[in-house]
Amino acid sequence: MKYLKEKVELANGTFMPKLGFGTWQIPNGDSAYNAVKEALEVGYIHIDTAYAYGNEESVGRAIKDSKINREKLFVTSKLASHVKDYDGALMQFRETLANLGLEYLDLYLIHAPWPWNEIGKDCREGNALVWKAMIELYNEGKIKAIGVSNFNKEDIQYIVSKTNFMPHVNQIQYHVGHNQDDTLKYCFDNDILVQAYSPLGTGRILNNEIIVEMAAKYKVTPAQLCIKYCLESKTIPLPKTVNKNRMIENSQVDFELSKADFKNLKNI
Ligand code: A2P
């Protein structure tokens, strides 16, 4: 379970635990509260949420009730994808902190380059405005690191051209069968850490024949193999589950994956 505590250093000197706990699609209330409470009990210290998930309040309550020192935790949230103006970003950040009951965030991300109900819309100017707001919050010490999510190379280049400030992190969908090589290369070349959301392909890739066979060879589960694939890709996986046994399972990935098998997975 070493990946729960081992950390990677971001470009600005902040440290992030190598394996996080995703909370997308866990409803606010008992579900999110219990899931995060159990994840913290298992030993996860890196928790990922978002304003748009609607569960910040329960996530925050579970964090508070865990009594774990705030400095020991790494908490991420995201600015909702439809907010593309400066004042709106500052306002929603305050709301997120209040929902979570926290004084600061470890990481705050622009959730997407466009509103989720208008995928592909040109929001470059809006992204630059909210990026400026986030840089200001970062400079004030209210956020330890800032970044983006679902951004490609051009989306990132635009906000950097307007601010001269490189995101510390890009959180993208990354899993076996969905590699996003161009984005990954651009991020690595520019010292942007990549977080992998849906590392299990939201559960859909776990029955893949090649994955099932290879997992058996390593005496691990398909989920463990898929999480290891993300780690070997130098991304930070954020698997989601509401099941405590699976939380434990997903953290037990201390096995060696051969270069050849990594390549085989990459080719799926
Ligand atoms: P559940 O929450 O019922 O455990 P992703 O992280 O890629 O978004 O995938 C999340 C999905 O995968 C959820 O449906 C979750 O279901 C399921 N899941 C998470 N961990 C495991 C596991 N170890 N084995 C099987 N399914 C899992």
Side-chain angles (χ1 to χ4, degrees):
M1 295 171 93
K2 65 176 182 174
Y3 293 102
L4 293 181
K5 298 282 183 290
E6 266 187 25
K7 291 177 183 169
V8 59
E9 188 173 0
L10 307 186
N12 69 340
T14 302
F15 288 88
M16 175 193 291
K18 285 185 183 171
L19 183 58
F21 182 73
T23 65
W24 179 37
Q25 291 179 332
I26 310 185
N28 200 37
D30 287 352
S31 299
Y33 177 82
N34 290 330
V36 174
K37 183 172 165 277
E38 292 183 337
L40 294 168
E41 283 165 10
V42 165
Y44 288 82
I45 51 173
H46 175 173
I47 309 290
D48 181 271
T49 183
Y51 184 89
Y53 299 170
N55 60 18
E56 288 175 319
E57 184 270 330
S58 304
V59 170
R61 218 157 24 88
I63 288 172
K64 183 164 175 250
D65 290 353
S66 77
K67 307 255 188 300
I68 298 172
N69 273 346
R70 174 67 185 94
E71 312 83 69
K72 291 220 164 76
L73 297 173
F74 190 100
V75 183
T76 302
S77 194
K78 312 181 192 86
L79 177 73
S81 63
H82 64 271
V83 178
K84 296 296 179 198
D85 66 293
Y86 180 87
D87 289 338
L90 293 181
M91 212 155 70
Q92 191 173 87
F93 174 73
R94 279 198 296 273
E95 215 180 311
T96 276
L97 275 192
N99 286 343
L100 285 162
L102 297 176
E103 303 278 314
Y104 69 90
L105 285 185
D106 295 278
L107 179 63
Y108 196 44
L109 306 174
I110 305 178
H111 205 144
W114 14 250
W116 283 114
N117 57 358
E118 292 176 279
I119 291 180
K121 183 180 175 187
D122 181 357
C123 296
R124 282 177 296 181
E125 296 310 325
N127 286 330
L129 291 175
V130 298
W131 189 233
K132 281 178 190 161
M134 284 169 68
I135 293 168
E136 192 171 297
L137 292 165
Y138 170 73
N139 286 332
E140 287 169 7
K142 294 185 177 124
I143 315 168
K144 304 286 181 198
I146 52 175
V148 294
S149 182
N150 300 294
F151 272 46
N152 65 22
K153 175 178 164 179
E154 288 74 29
D155 297 325
I156 296 174
Q157 280 174 331
Y158 192 81
I159 59 169
V160 175
S161 76
K162 292 289 172 183
T163 58
N164 208 21
F165 194 108
M166 192 61 87
H168 303 122
V169 171
N170 188 14
Q171 184 180 123
I172 59 173
Q173 184 178 6
Y174 183 85
H175 53 77
V176 176
H178 192 74
N179 288 313
Q180 305 219 44
D181 282 338
D182 290 348
T183 302
L184 217 60
K185 182 173 184 323
Y186 175 77
C187 289
F188 290 158
D189 287 348
N190 288 282
D191 215 359
I192 300 171
L193 181 119
V194 176
Q195 292 182 311
Y197 74 80
S198 300
L200 311 175
T202 61
R204 285 172 296 120
I205 59 175
L206 300 177
N207 292 325
N208 175 283
E209 221 173 279
I210 303 171
I211 294 176
V212 170
E213 259 178 44
M214 198 186 292
K217 185 175 98 179
Y218 283 94
K219 297 192 170 49
V220 298
T221 65
Q224 288 169 325
L225 185 71
C226 290
I227 290 167
K228 189 69 181 188
Y229 175 75
C230 292
L231 290 164
E232 288 290 318
S233 305
K234 303 206 178 331
T235 68
I236 304 290
L238 306 167
K240 168 263 169 186
T241 177
V242 292
N243 177 309
K244 193 169 187 178
N245 288 330
R246 288 177 172 175
M247 291 173 195
I248 296 167
E249 176 187 325
N250 294 347
S251 71
Q252 291 172 334
V253 286
D254 308 354
F255 61 96
E256 292 295 320
L257 187 62
S258 77
K259 280 204 175 95
D261 282 333
F262 177 74
K263 222 167 152 191
N264 290 336
L265 289 174
K266 188 114 195 143
N267 288 331
I268 291 181

